[in-house]
Amino acid sequence: MSDFSADCGSSPAVLEESPEKAALGALARRRDGDPLGALRRAVESSANGSGTALGCLVGPTASIPGATPESRACAAWGLIVDEIGKLGSVVEPREHFVLLAAFRLPPVPDGSQRWASKLGDRFGQLAEVRGLFGERKPLSNTPMNKAWAGALEMLGAAVACKLGHLEGEAWLRYVGIGRSAMAGPAPGDNGPEGFRAPSEGAQPVFVERMQITVVMERRTPLRRTTERDIVARRDGVDGYDVHALTGWSGNLADLPVKAVWNCRLVTSPGAAKLRFRRTLKVDEPYHFVSEAVDGHVDEERKWINVEVDHHGVAPGGLTIRVNFDEAQLPRACWWYAEQLEVERTRRPPTGDRRLLDVGDGFVQHTFEGRCQPREAYGIAFEWPAG
């Protein structure tokens, strides 16, 4: 079991704890199911000089001819997928399946349509495979954890060795492998990814990450800053139609929106669009930031809402953060998903998992599941009387 690939052998130095092993472990523990997006953001972060835990995996891909963040992320992911495939021929089946589970690669062995979001839950799925960990179903994840430790050691060694040798055009085959590994039904299709079909007029983008930070003044969201990482679903996407509404005061109205980063605001009667700095091709990613400001601070709002008017948001991709005015804290706060307006304002019963701790006025919630097209997601609050 000394050779993991045709041109890389193991050695004691390689098998020591390494940045590559730590990065692979971090990538496997992510819950969003989007390794390509995480690697792409690592590329962009390293380009800005800040670096990330995944930087060691994407750094060597800078030598790719005509490198883009997308191609570099695909190359790194393709290398990981390729090395897992090669290990499958030299390790025990349990170690190979543990790697498939850790990195959400097919097949899913227990008959499920997809791997679970948490690494431990994916190991639980392996427990259903008869004979993989003995004649009886294991009573804990301990056998999987032991197999994972050994498999991660070997994968880290193989990937580290290749990262030290690959350069220039040699990376191109891995770009293709990475793209093929991520191919599948596009979000919005009624396919195994589990997203519903978007409406006919939906914006042709899929959102990998949307982070909304709201600063309240009195009982009104004074500022609402939204960061978006999107992927174009067709060629020619040049912007994003934006609507920021006032929570609730009996009537809904658009708020003034301004472009903050990587876009320019273009307005026309009844419409506002954040124009991108370039026209996107299908599957091309883009990051931009906008902000809405509500000057009616004497009015009371009852929720922060997100309407999915595009092809959906990746699992774990939507996060809403609210900084309440310390002089006007709500009596209760909770998150909601796919509810009618009348349902949003109903406070969940004590002990309900949707209730959020207001504490000193900072509240955050990440929606771990998919955010479906044509649905609404948000955080609601109940104010003290008077």
Side-chain angles (χ1 to χ4, degrees):
M1 199 180 297
S2 60
D3 292 329
F4 303 137
S5 25
D7 56 355
C8 278
S10 65
S11 67
V14 174
L15 287 175
E16 293 177 358
E17 184 69 25
S18 66
E20 292 80 9
K21 176 184 171 182
L24 289 167
L27 191 63
R29 289 189 293 272
R30 294 181 63 88
R31 296 187 184 184
D32 56 14
D34 182 24
L36 207 59
L39 291 167
R40 177 179 53 76
R41 288 188 289 274
V43 171
E44 295 169 342
S45 177
S46 61
N48 293 330
S50 60
T52 71
L54 305 181
C56 62
L57 300 179
V58 299
T61 64
S63 64
I64 296 175
T68 64
E70 187 269 344
S71 65
R72 292 180 61 185
C74 283
W77 179 238
L79 173 60
I80 294 168
V81 172
D82 190 57
E83 291 303 320
I84 289 174
K86 290 177 180 177
L87 281 172
S89 64
V90 296
V91 300
E92 296 293 331
R94 65 177 61 182
E95 292 170 327
H96 187 224
F97 270 105
V98 161
L99 287 173
L100 296 180
F103 294 94
R104 294 180 171 91
L105 297 174
V108 184
D110 68 345
S112 301
Q113 290 188 349
R114 61 188 66 86
W115 291 107
S117 61
K118 296 180 181 179
L119 182 60
D121 291 342
R122 296 199 292 279
F123 287 169
Q125 288 176 278
L126 291 183
E128 302 297 328
V129 182
R130 180 173 298 180
L132 189 60
F133 292 93
E135 294 300 320
R136 296 181 180 180
K137 176 180 175 180
L139 300 178
S140 71
N141 281 349
T142 299
M144 277 73 77
N145 290 332
K146 289 183 177 179
W148 167 234
L152 179 61
E153 192 80 59
M154 289 183 285
L155 180 62
V159 169
C161 181
K162 278 294 183 68
L163 288 173
H165 288 80
L166 288 170
E167 188 174 358
E169 293 187 356
W171 274 108
L172 295 179
R173 69 178 292 264
Y174 294 102
V175 175
I177 293 173
R179 285 174 174 160
S180 298
M182 295 304 295
D189 295 342
N190 286 321
E193 289 191 353
F195 284 90
R196 304 168 196 159
S199 62
E200 184 176 344
Q203 301 198 64
V205 301
F206 177 71
V207 176
E208 291 184 336
R209 184 182 72 96
M210 179 185 294
Q211 181 170 284
I212 299 171
T213 302
V214 178
V215 176
M216 305 284 289
E217 183 168 327
R218 302 178 190 174
R219 300 185 178 189
T220 292
L222 176 64
R223 295 198 313 276
R224 171 173 166 161
T225 304
T226 304
E227 302 179 44
R228 298 178 180 89
D229 288 286
I230 66 167
V231 175
R233 281 300 177 224
R234 60 170 171 78
D235 290 333
V237 176
D238 64 353
Y240 186 91
D241 296 328
V242 60
H243 301 281
L245 300 175
T246 62
W248 190 85
S249 62
N251 294 299
L252 293 177
D254 279 317
L255 297 176
V257 175
K258 67 178 181 179
V260 175
W261 177 254
N262 229 17
C263 57
R264 296 296 183 191
L265 183 66
V266 179
T267 60
S268 59
K273 185 170 188 173
L274 297 171
R275 184 81 66 183
F276 300 154
R277 299 172 67 188
R278 64 177 185 271
T279 299
L280 307 182
K281 297 180 180 179
V282 63
D283 293 333
E284 184 176 356
Y286 198 78
H287 171 77
F288 61 104
V289 183
S290 62
E291 186 175 73
V293 179
D294 189 349
H296 301 91
V297 295
D298 291 327
E299 297 189 24
E300 181 179 287
R301 314 303 186 195
K302 295 190 176 182
W303 60 63
I304 305 298
N305 187 57
V306 175
E307 291 189 359
V308 182
D309 62 348
H310 39 76
H311 287 228
V313 184
L318 174 60
T319 297
I320 301 176
R321 305 188 301 186
V322 185
N323 176 5
F324 289 102
D325 187 331
E326 62 181 356
Q328 291 281 348
L329 296 182
R331 183 163 52 191
C333 193
W334 60 92
W335 62 269
Y336 63 84
E338 303 178 18
Q339 290 186 328
L340 300 174
E341 289 187 10
V342 67
E343 296 176 300
R344 297 175 195 169
T345 57
R346 294 174 183 168
R347 177 178 175 174
T350 301
D352 192 288
R353 67 186 184 91
R354 291 174 294 156
L355 286 170
L356 302 173
D357 182 11
V358 176
D360 58 356
F362 294 91
V363 170
Q364 173 176 307
H365 180 71
T366 296
F367 295 82
E368 294 188 1
R370 300 168 181 81
C371 294
Q372 298 285 356
R374 299 175 286 164
E375 293 288 359
Y377 303 80
I379 291 178
F381 20 91
E382 179 181 277
W383 299 107

